Amino acid sequence: MKKIIIATQNQDKLREIRAIMEGDGVSVLSVKEAGIQADAEENGATFEENALIKARAVAAASGAESAIVLADDSGLEIDALGGEPGVYSARYMGEDTSYEIKNRNLIGRLDAAGGKDRSARFVCAVAAVMPDGQEIVVRETMEGRIGSEAQGENGFGYDPIFYPDGYDCSSAALTEAEKNAISHRGKALRAVMKKILYKNGEKSKKG
């Protein structure tokens, strides 16, 4: 069984990652469970750069030669707002500002702009640092639109205002399994695991 350390302190994200990766024959550990303390300044210009910054920092601090380190950086891009909040999604309006306030602000900005173009996407970049130092980076998206009101009690962050393409409800109104099957993070984690398994000669087992 492979040991994978997830470079995040976000408990919502960690829970979601564990749910997505169940059944892949891996043992998923948080940095706290792995006994690792690593600070990384997420100053990259892209989701990919920030994911690599976090993964490299935890890998350097882990000293675990047999562990794979995974990190993701994700966020919301709204076309009518020039791609905002983008890589600043977690820091938009301040890290301590509630997502209820952030979501209300984004809906208000779109409404004030006429509200005609509400297209948006969730983006997730996942970076893996392998025990031998090799790095893998993948990027996936979930396309959709910003609703006119928040909806749903599941999910977290911007989920209540994001309506995935093909759905008449927000991603916060989907079940965990439904969301993980189509989400940016679900697709990115499955893609990076295929690459990891391929590198380890297990392509035939996972396709």
Side-chain angles (χ1 to χ4, degrees), residues 74-75 85-97 99 102 158:
S74 53
V87 295
Y88 301 104
S89 290
R91 293 164 280 176
Y92 176 65
M93 297 182 69
E95 291 187 29
D96 295 328
T97 303
Y99 276 94
K102 294 179 182 183
Y158 298 106

Side-chain angles (χ1 to χ4, degrees), residues 92-93 96-108 158:
Y92 176 65
M93 297 182 69
D96 295 328
T97 303
S98 73
Y99 276 94
E100 181 180 359
I101 293 173
K102 294 179 182 183
N103 288 335
R104 193 161 56 239
N105 177 270
L106 289 172
I107 289 174
Y158 298 106

Side-chain angles (χ1 to χ4, degrees), residues 44 66 105 111 114 146 194 207:
S66 61
N105 177 270
D111 290 345
I146 302 302
K194 282 187 178 180

Side-chain angles (χ1 to χ4, degrees), residues 40-207:
E41 184 179 358
E42 296 177 44
N43 55 7
T46 65
F47 294 108
E48 290 88 343
E49 289 177 5
N50 282 332
L52 273 170
I53 287 169
K54 290 185 279 189
R56 287 167 176 166
V58 171
S62 71
E65 296 181 359
S66 61
I68 299 166
V69 174
L70 284 187
D72 96 312
D73 194 54
S74 53
L76 177 67
E77 293 181 341
I78 301 175
D79 293 326
L81 301 183
E84 290 185 34
V87 295
Y88 301 104
S89 290
R91 293 164 280 176
Y92 176 65
M93 297 182 69
E95 291 187 29
D96 295 328
T97 303
S98 73
Y99 276 94
E100 181 180 359
I101 293 173
K102 294 179 182 183
N103 288 335
R104 193 161 56 239
N105 177 270
L106 289 172
I107 289 174
R109 289 179 65 191
L110 282 179
D111 290 345
K116 293 182 179 179
D117 181 9
R118 306 186 80 91
S119 59
R121 69 200 50 80
F122 273 127
V123 179
C124 178
V126 173
V129 177
M130 305 294 286
D132 62 3
Q134 291 187 68
E135 298 175 344
I136 303 169
V137 184
V138 300
R139 176 190 177 101
E140 294 287 349
T141 64
M142 177 168 60
E143 298 290 331
R145 64 196 184 283
I146 302 302
S148 58
E149 61 181 6
Q151 179 197 78
E153 301 297 327
N154 301 325
F156 58 95
Y158 298 106
D159 282 334
I161 65 170
F162 183 85
Y163 289 58
D165 281 350
Y167 291 81
D168 292 324
C169 64
S170 75
S171 53
L174 299 174
T175 67
E176 183 176 69
E178 288 171 334
K179 177 189 169 185
N180 290 343
I182 64 170
S183 75
H184 53 309
R185 184 169 293 112
K187 289 189 283 189
L189 285 169
R190 287 188 288 272
V192 83
M193 282 305 299
K194 282 187 178 180
K195 290 180 178 290
I196 288 171
L197 294 170
Y198 182 86
K199 280 183 173 293
N200 284 272
E202 300 178 37
K203 184 181 179 184
S204 61
K205 295 182 182 180
K206 292 287 181 179

Side-chain angles (χ1 to χ4, degrees), residues 6-75:
I6 307 298
T8 184
Q9 301 283 356
N10 185 316
Q11 293 304 305
D12 287 324
K13 185 181 292 187
L14 180 63
R15 176 183 51 77
E16 189 169 282
I17 289 172
R18 280 190 161 129
I20 292 167
M21 297 183 71
E22 280 180 356
D24 271 333
V26 298
S27 172
V28 176
L29 299 175
S30 67
V31 286
K32 183 178 180 180
E33 290 167 339
I36 298 169
Q37 289 191 348
D39 293 321
E41 184 179 358
E42 296 177 44
N43 55 7
T46 65
F47 294 108
E48 290 88 343
E49 289 177 5
N50 282 332
L52 273 170
I53 287 169
K54 290 185 279 189
R56 287 167 176 166
V58 171
S62 71
E65 296 181 359
S66 61
I68 299 166
V69 174
L70 284 187
D72 96 312
D73 194 54
S74 53

